[in-house]
Amino acid sequence: MNKNTIPHFIGVIASVIVIALLVNFTIVDDCLNKGGAFSYETGQCLLANQEIYVASYHTYLVALYFFIGVTVAFYVSKLVRKILSKSGGI
């Protein structure tokens, strides 16, 4: 792996982890608060009466996840690049 791609790779991995945590805090917790059960296989919330629950803000979350993912990847890669350049790695 090229030394210049390592910070980008770490930044992308960090953004995926942050987005996974956000999904858990937003969609899954909202589903459980409504009394449903979240199916990770289908990505849907099933309520007790077998209806599929879709949050009203679900479409806005995609844009939020994209923005947060890009921002986290950018800043983490800058931080990793700075740390590696001070240690003489890059």
Side-chain angles (χ1 to χ4, degrees):
M1 186 180 289
N2 188 354
K3 288 183 181 180
N4 292 328
T5 60
I6 292 172
H8 297 297
F9 180 73
I10 294 172
V12 169
I13 295 299
S15 73
V16 167
I17 291 170
V18 167
I19 290 172
L21 291 173
L22 284 174
V23 166
N24 190 35
F25 288 132
T26 55
I27 295 176
V28 177
D29 284 349
D30 186 40
C31 174
L32 297 177
N33 289 339
K34 299 288 183 189
F38 191 80
S39 171
Y40 287 97
E41 293 175 356
T42 61
Q44 296 177 335
C45 176
L46 299 173
L47 297 176
N49 59 0
Q50 301 303 318
E51 289 182 15
I52 296 175
Y53 171 72
V54 178
S56 60
Y57 56 86
H58 183 72
T59 55
Y60 299 113
L61 286 178
V62 174
L64 179 67
Y65 294 155
F66 176 77
F67 176 75
I68 289 174
V70 169
T71 304
V72 167
F74 176 74
Y75 284 112
V76 168
S77 67
K78 280 185 75 164
L79 179 66
V80 169
R81 186 179 305 277
K82 184 180 280 190
I83 290 170
L84 289 178
S85 67
K86 285 187 179 187
S87 68
I90 292 182

